[in-house]
Short mmCIF file of all heavy atoms in Angstrom, two decimals:
data_model
loop_
_atom_site.label_atom_id
_atom_site.label_comp_id
_atom_site.label_asym_id
_atom_site.label_seq_id
_atom_site.Cartn_x
_atom_site.Cartn_y
_atom_site.Cartn_z
N LEU A 1 91.42 99.12 79.13
CA LEU A 1 91.83 99.07 77.73
C LEU A 1 91.81 97.68 77.09
O LEU A 1 92.30 97.47 75.99
CB LEU A 1 93.34 99.71 77.56
CG LEU A 1 93.43 101.12 78.04
CD1 LEU A 1 94.89 101.52 77.99
CD2 LEU A 1 92.73 101.98 77.07
N ARG A 2 91.18 96.82 77.81
CA ARG A 2 91.24 95.36 77.42
C ARG A 2 90.62 95.13 75.99
O ARG A 2 90.91 94.13 75.38
CB ARG A 2 90.59 94.52 78.42
CG ARG A 2 89.01 94.76 78.52
CD ARG A 2 88.45 93.93 79.72
NE ARG A 2 87.10 94.26 79.90
CZ ARG A 2 86.59 95.15 80.70
NH1 ARG A 2 87.45 95.89 81.48
NH2 ARG A 2 85.27 95.24 80.85
N GLY A 3 89.70 96.00 75.47
CA GLY A 3 89.08 95.83 74.28
C GLY A 3 89.99 96.20 73.03
O GLY A 3 89.63 96.04 71.93
N ASN A 4 91.17 96.74 73.40
CA ASN A 4 92.11 97.15 72.26
C ASN A 4 93.32 96.07 72.32
O ASN A 4 94.34 96.31 72.97
CB ASN A 4 92.52 98.57 72.55
CG ASN A 4 93.41 99.10 71.45
OD1 ASN A 4 93.87 98.40 70.48
ND2 ASN A 4 93.60 100.42 71.40
N PRO A 5 93.26 95.22 71.34
CA PRO A 5 94.35 94.18 71.34
C PRO A 5 95.78 94.74 70.94
O PRO A 5 96.81 94.16 71.18
CB PRO A 5 93.91 93.12 70.31
CG PRO A 5 92.72 93.73 69.55
CD PRO A 5 92.26 94.85 70.34
N ALA A 6 95.78 95.95 70.36
CA ALA A 6 97.06 96.55 69.96
C ALA A 6 97.77 97.08 71.18
O ALA A 6 98.97 97.13 71.19
CB ALA A 6 96.84 97.67 68.86
N VAL A 7 96.97 97.40 72.18
CA VAL A 7 97.39 97.92 73.48
C VAL A 7 97.61 96.94 74.53
O VAL A 7 98.48 96.98 75.33
CB VAL A 7 96.50 99.17 73.78
CG1 VAL A 7 97.01 99.73 75.19
CG2 VAL A 7 96.52 100.26 72.78
N VAL A 8 96.59 96.08 74.62
CA VAL A 8 96.60 95.06 75.63
C VAL A 8 96.45 93.62 75.08
O VAL A 8 95.49 93.26 74.45
CB VAL A 8 95.38 95.27 76.58
CG1 VAL A 8 95.30 94.21 77.67
CG2 VAL A 8 95.50 96.62 77.36
N ASN A 9 97.52 92.88 75.20
CA ASN A 9 97.59 91.51 74.73
C ASN A 9 97.71 90.51 75.86
O ASN A 9 97.69 90.94 77.01
CB ASN A 9 98.66 91.32 73.67
CG ASN A 9 100.06 91.61 74.31
OD1 ASN A 9 100.29 91.53 75.31
ND2 ASN A 9 100.91 92.12 73.24
N ASP A 10 97.67 89.30 75.56
CA ASP A 10 97.87 88.27 76.73
C ASP A 10 99.13 88.52 77.49
O ASP A 10 99.07 88.28 78.78
CB ASP A 10 97.83 86.83 76.16
CG ASP A 10 96.54 86.44 75.60
OD1 ASP A 10 95.55 87.07 76.04
OD2 ASP A 10 96.49 85.53 74.86
N ALA A 11 100.28 88.86 76.93
CA ALA A 11 101.47 89.13 77.68
C ALA A 11 101.34 90.29 78.65
O ALA A 11 101.85 90.20 79.65
CB ALA A 11 102.65 89.37 76.63
N VAL A 12 100.62 91.26 78.23
CA VAL A 12 100.43 92.36 79.15
C VAL A 12 99.58 92.03 80.29
O VAL A 12 99.82 92.45 81.45
CB VAL A 12 99.66 93.58 78.36
CG1 VAL A 12 99.32 94.71 79.28
CG2 VAL A 12 100.63 94.17 77.32
N TRP A 13 98.60 91.23 80.13
CA TRP A 13 97.71 90.76 81.20
C TRP A 13 98.57 89.97 82.15
O TRP A 13 98.53 90.08 83.40
CB TRP A 13 96.59 89.85 80.77
CG TRP A 13 95.38 90.63 80.28
CD1 TRP A 13 94.88 90.85 79.02
CD2 TRP A 13 94.41 91.24 81.17
NE1 TRP A 13 93.80 91.53 78.97
CE2 TRP A 13 93.42 91.88 80.29
CE3 TRP A 13 94.34 91.30 82.50
CZ2 TRP A 13 92.35 92.46 80.79
CZ3 TRP A 13 93.17 91.96 82.95
CH2 TRP A 13 92.21 92.58 82.20
N ILE A 14 99.33 89.03 81.61
CA ILE A 14 100.16 88.15 82.48
C ILE A 14 101.19 88.91 83.28
O ILE A 14 101.29 88.73 84.46
CB ILE A 14 100.78 86.98 81.65
CG1 ILE A 14 99.71 86.09 81.07
CG2 ILE A 14 101.83 86.19 82.45
CD1 ILE A 14 100.25 85.08 80.00
N ARG A 15 101.95 89.72 82.56
CA ARG A 15 102.97 90.52 83.25
C ARG A 15 102.40 91.50 84.20
O ARG A 15 102.89 91.65 85.29
CB ARG A 15 103.80 91.34 82.14
CG ARG A 15 104.87 92.09 82.73
CD ARG A 15 106.00 91.35 83.27
NE ARG A 15 107.00 92.19 84.03
CZ ARG A 15 107.84 91.89 84.89
NH1 ARG A 15 107.91 90.67 85.19
NH2 ARG A 15 108.58 92.71 85.46
N GLY A 16 101.39 92.12 83.91
CA GLY A 16 100.68 93.13 84.71
C GLY A 16 100.25 92.42 86.11
O GLY A 16 100.46 92.99 87.10
N THR A 17 99.68 91.28 85.96
CA THR A 17 99.25 90.49 87.13
C THR A 17 100.47 90.09 88.09
O THR A 17 100.46 90.16 89.27
CB THR A 17 98.39 89.21 86.73
OG1 THR A 17 97.33 89.72 85.92
CG2 THR A 17 97.84 88.60 87.96
N ILE A 18 101.51 89.59 87.35
CA ILE A 18 102.66 89.13 88.10
C ILE A 18 103.33 90.34 88.79
O ILE A 18 103.80 90.10 89.97
CB ILE A 18 103.71 88.41 87.12
CG1 ILE A 18 103.12 87.07 86.66
CG2 ILE A 18 105.04 88.28 87.70
CD1 ILE A 18 103.90 86.45 85.63
N VAL A 19 103.39 91.47 88.21
CA VAL A 19 104.13 92.64 88.74
C VAL A 19 103.25 93.18 89.96
O VAL A 19 103.86 93.37 90.96
CB VAL A 19 104.17 93.80 87.70
CG1 VAL A 19 104.62 95.00 88.40
CG2 VAL A 19 105.25 93.25 86.63
N VAL A 20 101.92 93.18 89.85
CA VAL A 20 101.15 93.52 91.03
C VAL A 20 101.43 92.56 92.23
O VAL A 20 101.56 93.02 93.36
CB VAL A 20 99.68 93.65 90.69
CG1 VAL A 20 98.86 93.78 92.00
CG2 VAL A 20 99.41 94.80 89.79
N ALA A 21 101.35 91.26 91.95
CA ALA A 21 101.70 90.22 92.98
C ALA A 21 103.09 90.44 93.62
O ALA A 21 103.14 90.43 94.82
CB ALA A 21 101.42 88.84 92.43
N SER A 22 104.08 90.64 92.76
CA SER A 22 105.42 90.79 93.29
C SER A 22 105.50 92.10 94.08
O SER A 22 106.20 92.16 95.12
CB SER A 22 106.48 90.66 92.15
OG SER A 22 106.46 91.83 91.36
N ALA A 23 104.98 93.21 93.59
CA ALA A 23 105.02 94.48 94.26
C ALA A 23 104.36 94.31 95.66
O ALA A 23 104.80 94.90 96.62
CB ALA A 23 104.33 95.42 93.39
N ALA A 24 103.16 93.64 95.71
CA ALA A 24 102.56 93.54 97.09
C ALA A 24 103.40 92.66 98.00
O ALA A 24 103.54 93.01 99.21
CB ALA A 24 101.12 92.78 96.77
N LEU A 25 104.04 91.61 97.52
CA LEU A 25 104.90 90.86 98.30
C LEU A 25 106.09 91.70 98.76
O LEU A 25 106.46 91.73 99.99
CB LEU A 25 105.47 89.67 97.46
CG LEU A 25 104.66 88.40 97.65
CD1 LEU A 25 105.29 87.37 96.69
CD2 LEU A 25 104.60 87.85 98.97
#
């Protein structure tokens, strides 16, 4: 969904990446 800025913004990218990393840990 990266092409839709109303759905995916920079905060979503950052939070999504942090959450995956913390979940893996």
Side-chain angles (χ1 to χ4, degrees):
L1 297 170
R2 69 185 175 268
N4 186 346
V7 176
V8 176
N9 57 30
D10 289 343
V12 169
W13 275 105
I14 293 166
R15 178 69 186 162
T17 305
I18 289 169
V19 170
V20 169
S22 74
L25 270 175

